[in-house]
Amino acid sequence: MTSVALGIPSVRTRPIAERRKSRQIMVGSVPVGGDAPVSVQSMTTTLTADVNATLQQIAELTASGCQIVRVAVPSQDDAEALPIIARKSQIPVIADIHFQPKYVFAAIEAGCAAVRVNPGNIKKFDDKVGEIAKAAADHGVPIRIGVNAGSLDPRLLQKYGKATPEALVESALWECSLFEEHGFRDIKISVKHNDPVVMVQAYRLLAQRCDYPLHLGVTEAGPAFQGTIKSAVAFGALLSEGIGDTIRVSLSAPPVEEVKVGAAILESLNLRERGLEIVSCPSCGRAQVDVYTLAEQVQAGLAGLKIPLRVAVMGCVVNGPGEAREADLGVASGNGKGQIFVKGEVIKTVPESQIVETLIEEALRMAEEMGVEIDLDDEDAPGPEVVVR
Ligand code: SF4
């Protein structure tokens, strides 16, 4: 067996584009905008007034890597639950307010890290902007102006005929201007649409016209598969132009799934350090092992390993050695055997039945050399990212 110096696993940290220069706001302890990393947020699906259920879901979201959480506040009962939720949550809580300006004041008083308002939905909101700006400024609470295609200001709907990119942007900037009149600029903006093309156009336009940090979202993106595709495509287009400071993937699925998708999008674009990444081939007629099972077993075996490690699982000797060499650790299979690579060099060849255990053994050795704590039983640990080549 050859001994190979392990070193630090290679992580591709070069981001995809220079970030748009935006002003920075603080959502509780999380900076948004400026040079802050793009953050991932989600929204609870529980009744906010059900404090225990909401805090339980926030804890699950926190464990999955969510950095900011939003809770809906449609009623007085929900508003009354905010102080305890804001105090007990480990991540900043944003109150999502529609229809009632009085809940904005309640959320600010409750210690929420930010408040989201929808200019299209809050009755007499414009008249209250002065008071809201003062309360928010006094408490250091930023406001998200969250325009949504489905609830566009009727005035703009009439002017543009539908929720065009221009209409969404005009609505957001109009609301911003009202706050600016009161000297308040602690703002972030979203202009969400369910069509990724319209959404991308709206954010591009918005990015040209202001320096506020932008919260990206495709609204009502759909069930997990469709919503993931729509969000990944739209966020990818914008983030690859440097646009976007915080993201929320909206899925008709448990919110933890939104966080996983959001984190994976950022990792794919090198906007967040990658964790454990399994690079596995899609298999084809040349495969000499069951690649799917092999990749699944390696993934399951390393699920709790929290190190930036790229592990290649390849089905044959055509592309296998090349990919395996590029990875920190890899296997190229063939003839009932697996060539095990560490840092580009073959360290041994093992029978097919020992491929999985050998890869896991080597990954643990690498983690240990890096002084990383190993807890493969940690159920909360996000699983590795799987990339199929
Ligand atoms: S490495 Fe490529 S050629 Fe070989 S089995 Fe996998 S997909 Fe097929």
Side-chain angles (χ1 to χ4, degrees), residues 72-94:
V73 188
S75 76
Q76 185 60 33
D77 286 349
D78 299 314
E80 284 169 11
L82 291 177
I84 186 160
I85 292 172
R87 196 170 66 246
K88 291 203 167 174
S89 169
Q90 287 181 358
I91 52 176
V93 174
I94 300 181

Side-chain angles (χ1 to χ4, degrees), residues 281-288 291 314-320 389:
C281 81
S283 189
C284 72
R286 291 187 202 95
Q288 291 168 347
V291 180
M314 307 299 287
C316 77
V317 289
V318 176
N319 293 330
R389 297 236 188 267

Side-chain angles (χ1 to χ4, degrees), residues 334-368:
N335 286 334
K337 293 181 197 144
Q339 271 187 322
I340 306 292
F341 289 75
V342 170
K343 292 284 164 193
E345 293 184 36
V346 179
I347 57 155
K348 57 179 148 179
T349 301
V350 297
E352 192 178 325
S353 59
Q354 287 172 25
I355 291 174
V356 175
E357 64 181 74
T358 309
L359 287 176
I360 293 173
E361 225 172 75
E362 290 301 322
L364 294 180
R365 189 163 70 90
M366 291 177 117
E368 219 171 288

Side-chain angles (χ1 to χ4, degrees), residues 98-282:
H98 292 247
F99 305 116
Q100 297 273 13
K102 68 177 179 184
Y103 298 150
V104 176
F105 299 105
I108 291 171
E109 290 293 330
C112 289
V115 177
R116 180 269 172 123
V117 297
N118 179 340
N121 266 355
I122 293 201
K123 285 179 210 143
K124 300 201 190 98
F125 182 86
D126 292 358
D127 302 340
K128 294 275 180 193
V129 166
E131 280 174 67
I132 291 173
K134 179 166 184 339
D138 288 350
H139 289 78
V141 172
I143 302 280
R144 166 151 76 94
I145 294 177
V147 176
N148 197 306
S151 50
L152 187 63
D153 186 334
R155 186 177 58 87
L156 292 163
L157 202 50
Q158 203 179 9
K159 176 173 169 186
Y160 289 95
K162 60 181 181 176
T164 62
E166 293 76 15
L168 296 168
V169 170
E170 188 172 326
S171 175
L173 294 181
W174 162 255
E175 214 56 47
C176 288
S177 73
L178 299 180
F179 278 95
E180 287 160 4
E181 276 173 24
H182 298 277
F184 188 88
R185 289 178 59 86
D186 216 2
I187 294 170
K188 67 183 166 114
I189 306 179
S190 61
V191 281
K192 299 190 183 181
H193 197 288
N194 61 39
D195 180 336
V197 174
V198 179
M199 176 272 195
V200 167
Q201 289 168 337
Y203 277 97
R204 278 183 181 150
L205 192 59
L206 189 58
Q208 287 166 10
R209 297 197 31 201
C210 70
D211 70 348
Y212 290 118
L214 303 183
H215 162 124
L216 302 187
V218 177
T219 190
E220 291 106 31
F225 179 75
Q226 180 185 299
T228 299
I229 302 273
K230 278 187 174 185
S231 301
V233 167
F235 295 4
L238 290 164
L239 291 167
S240 69
E241 295 169 19
I243 298 171
D245 301 287
T246 182
I247 61 172
R248 190 253 169 135
V249 174
S250 300
L251 299 178
S252 305
V256 163
E257 298 304 313
E258 299 184 347
V259 175
K260 286 189 197 160
V261 172
I265 291 172
L266 295 184
E267 285 178 12
S268 305
L269 296 169
N270 285 345
L271 289 167
R272 175 177 280 208
E273 187 177 271
R274 296 180 187 204
L276 186 65
E277 180 186 358
I278 310 263
V279 177
S280 62
C281 81

